[in-house]
Amino acid sequence: MSQDYQSSGNLLENDPDDLNQAIFGEKLSRRQLCKFFSRGKTCYKGSNCRFLHQRKTDYHSEQTDVAVILENWPPAPEEDMPVIISVLSAESPFHFWAHILPQNTNPAEIEYNTVVSDPLADLTRKMTSHYRLRGYKESRYYPAIGEIVAVKSKEGQGSFRRARITETDDVGERKCQVFHLDHGTFEVVPESDLRVMETDFIEELPFQAHEMFLADLKPTYLVNDAEGDSLLLSETEREENKARAEAVYAYFTEFVKDKWLVAKVVETSHEGALHVHLWDCSDKELMFLNKKLVEHGFASENYRLPQQLDTNCESLAVSIPG
């Protein structure tokens, strides 16, 4: 009994409901966060680190609920399955994000505004109303890479969107880069425009921006310079490569602009990205984008491309009246 009386656990300030105190023997506020792990980076000391491995977004002074990483992606289409898509944004003609139209939905109904409800627009209105009415007490927000947040978007004219934090360094003081999960675009925003994501807003609607790649193609120019390959080019070659990249991007933009397209899923990556053949069925003469890029010299075939689309466009209801 004397040992219990003299124990360090026999203190008035002990809180039996504090999980951190139960695990670590001290309250969270007394244990310093690991500066690497707390910012979404890797701590190479692992379990041997004497600092607390907890993201800064795992707790808030107002004791609000936090959804750090909670996914809600729709089931990926099966391989060889044709789906109707609308391109949202593109990093290059070979890598883009698109909205997949739900099955049994006729694009013509959307064209003529006969669809009763737009689920994404409804969700955006709910989120914007919720976060504006709730108000916001200015406090330091510590974003973690990979966290899903509600963000007040200038791109969305001040409406609130669902987004994932992709970068917290090298984008400006108290700023971070986010990826808009329903629109397929990146944006640099102030930390003050971030809000803790309510779980209900994640669960209400699957994320709408699907990552896609054009299948069976290899670009005939340098698409990006992530590995510094452009340093091997002469100044003249770099200028020619830049002009070629701009030309193919302009061609792709014109091909997909204001159109519903048929994407034939060839493969699905482990990360969920779709590798597709892309067809324009808006005219009687079907246009196969993958093949067109080869014909214009913008790409070469990795594998032999099909000569025709083995799906009846009319059965997909993709012919939109002009």
Side-chain angles (χ1 to χ4, degrees), residues 120-135:
L120 180 56
D122 292 342
L123 175 61
T124 301
R125 282 192 292 268
K126 289 180 185 178
M127 289 181 59
T128 302
S129 175
H130 171 81
Y131 289 108
R132 283 179 178 171
L133 291 176
R134 184 177 180 180

Side-chain angles (χ1 to χ4, degrees), residues 43-298:
C43 174
Y44 295 101
K45 293 185 179 180
S47 59
N48 295 322
C49 181
R50 66 188 182 91
F51 299 108
L52 180 61
H53 275 199
Q54 186 167 11
R55 306 295 188 197
K56 288 184 177 180
T57 46
D58 284 348
Y59 72 95
H60 286 262
S61 59
E62 286 81 8
Q63 301 297 317
T64 54
D65 294 330
V66 178
V68 176
I69 301 177
L70 178 62
E71 304 292 347
N72 185 13
W73 293 104
E78 298 178 2
E79 293 183 8
D80 290 330
M81 178 180 178
V83 292
I84 305 173
I85 73 165
S86 173
V87 174
L88 298 171
S89 66
E91 181 178 288
S92 76
F94 303 92
H95 182 198
F96 54 93
W97 286 264
H99 168 62
I100 296 180
L101 197 65
Q103 287 186 333
N104 303 319
T105 301
N106 191 332
E109 295 177 347
I110 299 175
E111 185 78 1
Y112 291 120
N113 297 317
T114 59
V115 175
V116 175
S117 175
D118 180 349
L120 180 56
D122 292 342
L123 175 61
T124 301
R125 282 192 292 268
K126 289 180 185 178
M127 289 181 59
T128 302
S129 175
H130 171 81
Y131 289 108
R132 283 179 178 171
L133 291 176
R134 184 177 180 180
Y136 178 62
K137 181 180 179 181
E138 181 69 26
S139 60
R140 186 68 188 271
Y141 193 103
Y142 295 96
I145 293 177
E147 181 185 7
I148 294 177
V149 296
V151 58
K152 185 178 180 181
S153 171
K154 290 183 179 179
E155 180 185 294
Q157 298 180 338
S159 61
F160 279 85
R161 293 178 170 183
R162 302 185 296 184
R164 186 193 305 280
I165 295 173
T166 58
E167 183 59 70
T168 57
D169 297 326
D170 303 325
V171 292
E173 185 178 358
R174 297 197 66 177
K175 292 183 178 181
C176 64
Q177 178 180 268
V178 299
F179 173 73
H180 294 292
L181 292 160
D182 299 304
H183 300 83
T185 55
F186 292 86
E187 184 179 7
V188 175
V189 299
E191 291 177 0
S192 59
D193 284 345
L194 302 178
R195 305 290 187 272
V196 174
M197 173 59 75
E198 301 288 345
T199 304
D200 289 346
F201 292 141
I202 296 180
E203 296 176 343
E204 180 170 330
L205 183 70
F207 302 140
Q208 298 294 294
H210 297 257
E211 186 176 20
M212 297 187 182
F213 295 86
L214 288 183
D216 302 331
L217 292 181
K218 180 180 179 181
T220 55
Y221 65 99
L222 186 62
V223 175
N224 58 59
D225 194 29
E227 299 181 3
D229 292 336
S230 65
L231 297 177
L232 302 177
L233 303 178
S234 66
E235 184 176 351
T236 301
E237 289 173 328
R238 283 196 293 270
E239 289 297 324
E240 291 176 350
N241 189 81
K242 180 180 178 182
R244 197 172 187 79
E246 291 174 349
V248 65
Y249 191 88
Y251 180 84
F252 172 84
T253 300
E254 185 63 27
F255 188 98
V256 304
K257 183 180 179 181
D258 299 328
K259 293 178 183 177
W260 291 101
L261 306 166
V262 173
K264 191 71 174 292
V265 180
V266 176
E267 180 184 3
T268 303
S269 70
H270 293 296
E271 295 79 16
L274 304 179
H275 296 251
V276 302
H277 292 157
L278 203 56
W279 298 78
D280 177 7
C281 297
S282 61
D283 201 350
K284 291 182 179 180
E285 181 182 354
L286 305 186
M287 297 183 65
F288 185 15
L289 177 61
N290 304 55
K291 194 73 173 178
K292 288 293 184 181
L293 292 180
V294 173
E295 292 174 356
H296 284 79
F298 296 134

